[in-house]
Amino acid sequence: MKKLGYLVMCLLVTIAAQAQDQKEIDFVEYDLDNGLHVILHQDNSTPIVAVTMMYHVGSKNEDPQRTGFAHFFEHLLFEGSKNIDRGEYAKIVERAGGQWNANTSQDRTFYYEVLPSNRLELGLYLESERLLHAKIDSTGVETQREVVKEEKRQRYDNQPYMTFAQEIFKRAYTEHPYRWTPIGSMEDLDAATMEEFMDFYKKFYVPNNAVLSIAGDLDIDDTRELVEKYFSEIPRGTMEIPRPDVVEPAQAEEIRDVIYDDIQLPAVFHAYHMPAQGTDDYYALSMLTQVLSGGPSARLNKQLVDKQQKALQVFAFPYALENPGLFITLGITNIGITPEELESAIDAEFESVQEELITEREFQKIRNQIEVDFVSQNSRVAGVAESLADYHMYFGDANLINTEIEKFMDVTREDLKRVANKYLTKENRVVLYYLPKSENNQTQSN
């Protein structure tokens, strides 16, 4: 096993060295008169192109009485447009040999098509139609209401443990709109009127609230002409775009609760408040994640799953957001292990990084992992396009796609120990035990 670990370490060092030799990602960026920010990256190595549109609207921009709108629009805007028949959007992309999808977070909504490069113009046409001529009518709204309800049932309500984000966020936040998650409330969607849906579209789906990021097998000058053709005449939005400025009060004491779910094995969830993405402490906590949960040999898995056999699975990850987010750990108990026993074991691993510096060898390993991950996320043109849009939207600096790794590399072992002590404290966390419903029935009968 030691020899295997040494070989893995050597491989990571080699890959990291190769990563340092990667060429910078060149790009061109500019604004149209209507406020649309455009980013173009030319990579002619493969004959594909990614056309992406990112809108600076997520669940945190919603009316507290109309939650779920941002995610609902992710679905609704595939209904079609003035010039695209209902249900034809996806078929058009697939007939062209492409792929499409979209996703919504607390902070933004993202659409993309990956197409053969000779169909670049098709992608631009489709995104311009979504922005200018989206089909928002009663038929589409009613159809997508049912689609979203079914998604909630299938992905959250009927999946073991998968309500954890909703349950955690509504306890961790009392003031900030992160207190609800993107799936939102089905009651809010049912109560919404067509006027409210149109108002949301006109407010947020405007060029001055969007980034058009295109990467792949393209010619910069030709693409600029196509962008001008399809987007320059779209009018700038005139409504004020709300940006929540609520500061969540510091949590003063630990919050604990029990969720009874349709599960067989109990689980323990911890959620610690953490700073916003892009801050120095965010980078340190992200690297600390690698120490705790960065693969089979990381501390939580090695100790709790392999050695102590108290957990069937255990993970830690930063739920990083534009405003301060959460550092989440979750563990599913092994057979015969109580949640209390698992929680105590997790706490012990956290205490170990609070009390002692990690070793130099362990530190170098996680630095290598970070470098590999940084390169890997931009190994596909779709990843490049998304990263460029992210960096511009959140930080106003698309060139972070080349330089953000330096912020990780500036983190020291002392920083890891410091943030562990600063943020991973009991008074700063929400603790949820997920227990089988049968235990709740037994409690009630007693």
Side-chain angles (χ1 to χ4, degrees), residues 334-389:
N334 213 337
I335 297 173
I337 301 297
T338 67
E340 290 81 5
E341 289 174 308
L342 178 55
E343 181 179 12
S344 178
I346 293 172
D347 285 345
E349 293 307 312
F350 277 44
E351 289 166 6
S352 71
V353 294
Q354 290 171 332
E355 294 169 357
E356 297 180 3
L357 293 176
I358 68 171
T359 66
E360 283 284 2
R361 183 176 182 275
E362 192 173 16
F363 185 54
Q364 186 58 52
K365 177 183 175 182
I366 64 170
R367 282 167 59 92
N368 293 339
Q369 288 175 327
I370 291 289
E371 287 189 298
V372 171
D373 291 345
F374 189 76
V375 172
S376 296
Q377 73 181 4
N378 296 319
S379 61
R380 299 176 299 109
V381 291
V384 171
E386 183 174 7
S387 291
L388 287 167

Side-chain angles (χ1 to χ4, degrees), residues 237-297:
T238 57
M239 301 174 71
E240 181 181 355
I241 299 173
R243 299 283 179 228
D245 57 2
V246 178
V247 177
E248 179 65 26
Q251 187 171 313
E253 61 183 6
E254 183 181 68
I255 298 170
R256 302 182 73 91
D257 213 339
V258 175
I259 307 298
Y260 293 98
D261 197 6
D262 189 14
I263 56 177
Q264 292 184 318
L265 293 174
V268 177
F269 289 83
H270 290 163
Y272 300 83
H273 289 273
M274 65 175 284
Q277 60 187 11
T279 59
D280 290 344
D281 283 359
Y282 153 77
Y283 291 109
L285 282 166
S286 294
M287 292 190 73
L288 187 59
T289 302
Q290 295 289 339
V291 176
L292 295 168
S293 189
S297 63

Side-chain angles (χ1 to χ4, degrees), residues 180-415:
W180 62 85
T181 54
I183 194 65
S185 163
M186 299 304 101
E187 290 77 14
D188 288 351
L189 292 178
D190 283 340
T193 65
M194 283 301 303
E195 182 179 0
E196 288 173 312
F197 286 120
M198 287 304 303
D199 181 72
F200 190 90
Y201 179 67
K202 292 177 181 178
K203 184 181 296 181
F204 294 108
Y205 279 83
V206 291
N208 44 304
N209 192 44
V211 177
L212 170 63
S213 182
I214 311 169
D217 184 27
L218 55 85
D219 177 86
I220 296 292
D221 292 336
D222 291 346
T223 305
R224 290 186 71 138
E225 290 182 7
L226 290 173
V227 170
E228 182 77 15
K229 174 181 176 181
Y230 285 101
F231 292 92
S232 64
E233 295 183 2
I234 299 175
R236 185 185 187 92
T238 57
M239 301 174 71
E240 181 181 355
I241 299 173
R243 299 283 179 228
D245 57 2
V246 178
V247 177
E248 179 65 26
Q251 187 171 313
E253 61 183 6
E254 183 181 68
I255 298 170
R256 302 182 73 91
D257 213 339
V258 175
I259 307 298
Y260 293 98
D261 197 6
D262 189 14
I263 56 177
Q264 292 184 318
L265 293 174
V268 177
F269 289 83
H270 290 163
Y272 300 83
H273 289 273
M274 65 175 284
Q277 60 187 11
T279 59
D280 290 344
D281 283 359
Y282 153 77
Y283 291 109
L285 282 166
S286 294
M287 292 190 73
L288 187 59
T289 302
Q290 295 289 339
V291 176
L292 295 168
S293 189
S297 63
R299 293 190 178 195
L300 289 175
N301 191 79
K302 187 174 182 179
Q303 288 295 325
L304 276 61
V305 178
D306 294 342
K307 289 188 176 181
Q308 301 176 31
Q309 297 186 355
K310 290 182 177 179
L312 187 66
Q313 293 180 324
V314 62
F315 303 100
F317 60 94
Y319 202 124
L321 296 165
E322 187 173 21
N323 299 143
L326 299 173
F327 185 100
I328 296 175
T329 66
L330 65 97
I332 299 175
T333 66
N334 213 337
I335 297 173
I337 301 297
T338 67
E340 290 81 5
E341 289 174 308
L342 178 55
E343 181 179 12
S344 178
I346 293 172
D347 285 345
E349 293 307 312
F350 277 44
E351 289 166 6
S352 71
V353 294
Q354 290 171 332
E355 294 169 357
E356 297 180 3
L357 293 176
I358 68 171
T359 66
E360 283 284 2
R361 183 176 182 275
E362 192 173 16
F363 185 54
Q364 186 58 52
K365 177 183 175 182
I366 64 170
R367 282 167 59 92
N368 293 339
Q369 288 175 327
I370 291 289
E371 287 189 298
V372 171
D373 291 345
F374 189 76
V375 172
S376 296
Q377 73 181 4
N378 296 319
S379 61
R380 299 176 299 109
V381 291
V384 171
E386 183 174 7
S387 291
L388 287 167
D390 270 334
Y391 287 130
H392 172 78
M393 181 166 288
Y394 293 135
F395 310 112
D397 182 9
N399 196 49
L400 281 169
I401 198 170
N402 294 310
T403 63
E404 190 186 33
I405 188 63
E406 298 168 10
K407 297 180 182 293
F408 284 104
M409 295 300 104
D410 286 341
V411 175
T412 65
R413 290 192 300 154
E414 289 74 15
D415 288 327

Side-chain angles (χ1 to χ4, degrees), residues 169-177 179 246 248-249 255 273:
F169 276 81
K170 71 182 182 183
R171 290 169 175 81
Y173 295 92
T174 60
E175 302 292 335
H176 195 281
R179 64 185 183 272
V246 178
E248 179 65 26
I255 298 170
H273 289 273

